Each structure stands twice: as C-alpha cells, then as structure tokens.
Amino acid sequence: RARRYSPGAWADDVVETVQPLLTRAPDLVMGHSLGALVASLVADRLSPRTTVYIDPAFAFPRGLRGAVRMLLFAVSPRPRRSILVRMNPKWDAADVEIELAGLRAWDRRTLLGFADTRPLVPPASLVAPSLVVLAERSLLITAPVAAALRRLGMTVETVPGTGHTVFRDDHARFVRVLDRWLDRTLPA
C-alpha cells in the first residue's frame, strides 16, 4: 500500500513494471474504470498500436455533487455476497468471489487520489486508434461525454444489458466487440 495515491503515480508504476519487458511498443494498452484513466496516461508514454478503455473514469461530477458521491462511495460498507448476486444476476459464482476478494484487498484511500476530480478526463489527444467500450448503464460516461469521445476520434461501443463491469456482465458480447474492432484496426 502506498502512502499517497494518484493516477500519475499508478501510471508510473505500470510503466516501471512493463517497460523493461517490452522489446517494441505494445500492440494494446487496456484498462477498466480508474484503470482506463491510468491506461490513457500509460499510452502517452508507451505509444501502443491501439488502446481500449472499458467504462472509463473519464468524467465525474464536479463540485459538491462529485464530492458527495465520492464520499458516499468511500464510506459505504463493502457489499455482502447476497447483494452482489442480486445486483449482478449474470455473474457466476467465480465472478462474485473475484469481486469480493478485490473489494477486500482494495485500499479505500485510493479515492483520496481523486479528491480533486480535474484529472478525471479523457486523453487530450490520441496516441493510437482507441476503442471505448461502455456499459449500457454507465455510471461514469453520459451521452454528451460519449459524443465528446467520438469527436476526439475514439470509437465508442455500448454493450447492451451491461453494468459497469461490462466484461463480466456479458463476456461473450464484450469479446465480440473487442475482436471485431481489433480485426478492423490492427492489420493481420
């Protein structure tokens, strides 16, 4: 656990870990939620051939509304198994266990890295062709934000019937969206 958290520090950690393993630019940098925000910072430094952002934290309510939402998220008790199952009826038992383990290991102090929500923005420019995969019920990306991402040149796809964890809610459809886009974007 770190003493302080920030998207920039997380990106530094990823680059420090991955860069020594690379012999060339990566084909793909991908992240989900806050990991998508970090992936966008990593992409600036590693210049991948493509980037994929899954229900990314590229937007968050500003001001008092955003602060209250973050505070509620930080102080809310971790959900019990029964609540996760009820909230995510498409998940199998293994997915529920993975989520519970992740929530147990999560250091809630990471939210302090977002007390200032100004870093929660999409990349200013694209370093590679970029796909944004959205949940149908995205908590982070509104229709106007999705339109702004398209204007930046990103391909934006929504997976129907999914929540924030798109790849668990409908894994097969998520993979089809990803495969179809990669087939069009990366030459064989």
Side-chain angles (χ1 to χ4, degrees):
R1 299 199 190 267
R3 290 175 51 188
R4 291 192 347 228
Y5 295 103
S6 72
W10 291 321
D12 290 344
D13 289 344
V14 171
V15 170
E16 179 184 313
T17 302
V18 172
Q19 199 163 37
L21 304 172
L22 298 173
T23 57
R24 60 182 172 80
D27 288 333
L28 172 67
V29 168
M30 178 169 35
H32 169 249
S33 193
L34 293 175
L37 177 65
V38 173
S40 73
L41 300 173
V42 168
D44 286 340
R45 294 166 59 186
L46 296 182
S47 301
R49 292 177 62 202
T50 60
T51 59
V52 175
Y53 306 115
I54 307 158
D55 215 28
F58 288 164
F60 200 81
R62 304 274 189 241
L64 183 59
R65 186 170 155 234
V68 168
R69 184 188 246 186
M70 193 154 320
L71 179 64
L72 287 173
F73 189 65
V75 300
S76 297
R78 290 182 170 94
R80 293 186 316 269
R81 178 179 285 101
S82 60
I83 292 172
L84 272 180
V85 169
R86 190 169 47 248
M87 288 173 52
N88 303 287
K90 296 177 183 178
W91 291 10
D92 62 27
D95 287 330
V96 172
E97 291 307 316
I98 291 167
E99 186 72 12
L100 288 170
L103 289 168
R104 283 190 299 272
W106 175 46
D107 182 356
R108 288 183 182 218
R109 292 179 305 142
T110 57
L111 290 174
L112 297 175
F114 300 101
D116 175 5
T117 59
R118 287 177 295 179
L120 300 176
V121 296
S125 62
L126 302 183
V127 297
S130 300
L131 171 65
V132 177
V133 181
L134 296 180
E136 181 177 36
R137 298 179 311 275
S138 178
L139 301 174
L140 299 170
I141 304 296
T142 62
V145 173
L149 296 175
R150 286 184 184 97
R151 284 192 300 277
L152 280 173
M154 296 179 170
T155 300
V156 179
E157 298 275 348
T158 300
V159 179
T162 61
H164 183 59
T165 314
V166 178
F167 45 87
R168 283 195 187 131
D169 289 352
D170 193 338
H171 185 75
R173 191 173 287 172
F174 167 75
V175 170
R176 279 195 305 274
V177 166
L178 186 58
D179 282 346
R180 187 177 65 236
W181 182 79
L182 287 170
D183 286 346
R184 287 192 318 257
T185 307
L186 285 177

